[in-house]
Amino acid sequence: MGRAFEYRRAAKEKRWDKMSRVFPKLSKKITIAAKEGGPEADLNPALRTAIMNAKAQNMPKANIDAAIKRASGKDATAYIETTYEGKGPHGVLVFVEAATDNTTRTVANVKSYFNKAGGGQVPNGSLEFMFSRKAVFEFDMPEGMELEDIELELIDAGLDEIEENEGTYYAYGEYTSFSDMAHKFEELEINVKKAELQRIPTTPVEFTEEQMEEIEKMLDKMEEDEDVQAVYTNIA
């Protein structure tokens, strides 16, 4: 994955820094996990992951607790998780994941981001085959452990490969192996900094700096939307 991965990571972090509603997005993820699997993190792997990712973004404990509490309230918002696909400037392919309490609002907003950028939304399923869905775990190498030993332990849990970038390690597996890999990391007592399901392009495309400026403007608009949880592209 190499260079393409490094770009995606840098671009994602750059856009993440710009997002005006980071904590609300993380809170929504926690609330959804708590509502679906219960408020006890020890018994709810999805909630543990959501909390871990929130802490990685320095989200205060009070915000995390409030998000969990909202899930059990009698007036708790019912969120629907949905996806949208489209083409942006210069033919860039875009896959949007959202969590919303109003799909009419969300689809109208997403469609407008595509249209204003000179692109357009396409029917769901059109781009599915252009992305591989992967479980991705970010971690630091524990003292006293060798990479080869970790790889051997994780292979049975569904590991495809491990990459290293500037001292941080990334373990990849099929999305269906997410729970097994998460459990194995816990069993090995390896501290995972971030864990998520990502959509990685099967055929990444390179764009010029000028083209990227237009593409980034559209992506920024999308990721600033309070209903949008993640945006994936086929950028190399």
Side-chain angles (χ1 to χ4, degrees):
M1 296 179 187
R3 181 173 171 276
F5 167 75
E6 288 179 20
Y7 171 78
R8 286 195 301 275
R9 178 170 176 262
K12 183 177 180 181
E13 289 178 350
K14 177 185 171 186
R15 291 200 299 274
W16 188 265
D17 288 340
K18 291 181 181 178
M19 290 166 68
S20 59
R21 301 182 178 87
V22 175
F23 287 172
K25 289 174 186 285
L26 294 169
S27 293
K28 188 181 289 187
K29 204 74 175 175
I30 291 170
T31 299
I32 291 171
K35 192 174 179 66
E36 291 181 353
E40 297 297 328
D42 290 344
L43 305 175
N44 185 342
L47 179 57
R48 284 203 303 278
T49 299
I51 291 173
M52 176 185 65
N53 289 336
K55 287 180 177 178
Q57 296 297 330
N58 299 314
M59 186 172 176
K61 185 177 184 299
N63 295 45
I64 294 173
D65 292 342
I68 295 173
K69 189 175 181 180
R70 273 196 297 276
S72 56
K74 64 179 181 179
D75 297 324
T77 303
Y79 291 114
I80 296 170
E81 294 186 278
T82 184
T83 62
Y84 305 99
E85 301 168 32
K87 294 183 180 181
H90 310 291
V92 65
L93 304 182
V94 183
F95 203 108
V96 180
E97 293 180 348
T100 178
D101 59 348
N102 186 329
T103 54
T104 301
R105 175 191 68 222
T106 308
V107 69
N109 287 345
V110 171
K111 187 178 291 186
S112 74
Y113 304 140
F114 280 120
N115 292 343
K116 288 177 181 177
Q121 190 176 339
V122 299
N124 275 15
S126 301
L127 307 182
E128 188 81 37
F129 71 101
M130 300 294 290
F131 293 85
S132 295
R133 204 172 185 203
K134 297 288 185 181
V136 184
F137 295 81
E138 178 181 331
F139 65 99
D140 291 327
M141 182 60 61
E143 285 187 23
M145 295 188 79
E146 297 292 332
L147 180 59
E148 291 77 9
D149 295 331
I150 294 175
E151 286 177 327
L152 286 173
E153 290 283 355
L154 288 172
I155 281 174
D156 289 339
L159 175 73
D160 285 341
E161 65 176 325
I162 293 180
E163 281 192 350
E164 183 269 335
N165 187 53
E166 297 182 356
T168 298
Y169 291 80
Y170 300 84
Y172 294 85
E174 290 303 314
Y175 79 97
T176 50
S177 300
F178 187 92
S179 293
D180 290 340
M181 289 180 68
H183 179 71
K184 180 57 72 171
F185 271 109
E186 289 179 5
E187 192 179 288
L188 295 171
E189 297 183 350
I190 296 175
N191 182 42
V192 174
K193 298 187 336 193
K194 258 190 219 178
E196 58 187 346
L197 292 174
Q198 292 186 11
R199 296 180 190 269
I200 297 173
T202 55
T203 311
V205 176
E206 291 192 7
F207 296 90
T208 66
E209 284 188 26
E210 291 78 11
Q211 291 173 330
M212 282 305 305
E213 284 184 17
E214 291 183 56
I215 293 171
E216 288 285 355
K217 283 181 182 177
M218 181 193 71
L219 298 180
D220 286 344
K221 287 289 186 185
M222 287 182 174
E223 291 190 322
E224 285 169 3
D225 190 298
E226 62 181 10
D227 294 333
V228 173
Q229 290 291 309
V231 180
Y232 303 100
T233 73
N234 67 330
I235 297 170

